Amino acid sequence: GTTLDMNTARSYVRAVLRRDANGLFRLGLKEDSGGVYIAALPESEVEDERELLRVGDYIRALDGQAVVLWKLDEAKEYVRTTALPLTVEVFRYAQAPTHGASGPSGSVNPKDALDQIGKELQKKGAELQAEWQGLLPRLEP
């Protein structure tokens, strides 16, 4: 596998995992408000690229299939039943989130960020509309 400077802030990482002698990928998944993420990544006796992944990485795709809208059970079932090897693509926050019962802290959930942007756009749109309506009477002959 390739070596990766673990201090580097990277957005997307891709790694190929292989099943061990017991037929396991040795990949533990959990889910929080941010989506499905890697909760456990024990060492494996097989040669694969698991060193590129980190606990806390959010699963972006499995074998090129977007996992964003999948539930945890769907992702686990896919990992259980897929042919080998498994290509895992993850989204990594610049600072590794710490997962708790309430989800990651100190990180931004992409959905929350989009919701926030949407609210700001609506607010700006309303301000511009009010400003425009204030100008209209002056523009009319």
Side-chain angles (χ1 to χ4, degrees), residues 11-133:
S11 297
Y12 298 105
V13 178
R14 176 188 285 176
V16 176
L17 299 184
R18 301 185 189 286
R19 293 186 186 274
D20 65 13
N22 297 318
L24 302 173
F25 283 113
R26 300 183 60 72
L27 172 69
L29 301 177
K30 284 192 179 174
E31 184 177 33
D32 64 17
S33 60
V36 177
Y37 66 91
I38 297 174
L41 195 64
E43 285 186 20
S44 178
E45 77 264 7
V46 294
E47 186 73 26
D48 63 13
E49 297 176 336
R50 71 183 52 244
E51 76 273 3
L52 300 177
L53 302 174
R54 288 191 216 162
V55 169
D57 285 347
Y58 281 92
I59 305 293
R60 182 173 173 232
L62 295 172
D63 291 335
Q65 296 188 57
V67 176
V68 180
L69 300 175
W70 291 12
K71 293 287 174 226
L72 178 62
D73 292 344
E74 294 172 291
K76 283 183 169 182
E77 182 64 19
Y78 185 86
V79 170
R80 263 196 301 272
T81 58
T82 189
L84 56 111
L86 176 67
T87 301
V88 181
E89 292 176 58
V90 299
F91 175 78
R92 176 172 303 154
Y93 292 104
Q95 286 186 309
T98 52
H99 297 277
S102 61
S105 61
S107 63
V108 177
N109 175 341
K111 185 182 178 313
D112 291 346
L114 287 173
D115 288 347
Q116 184 64 36
I117 291 166
K119 285 176 190 164
E120 288 174 22
L121 284 172
Q122 280 181 329
K123 183 179 167 196
K124 190 66 179 169
E127 287 171 9
L128 288 171
Q129 189 174 6
E131 196 176 312
W132 178 246
Q133 286 172 341

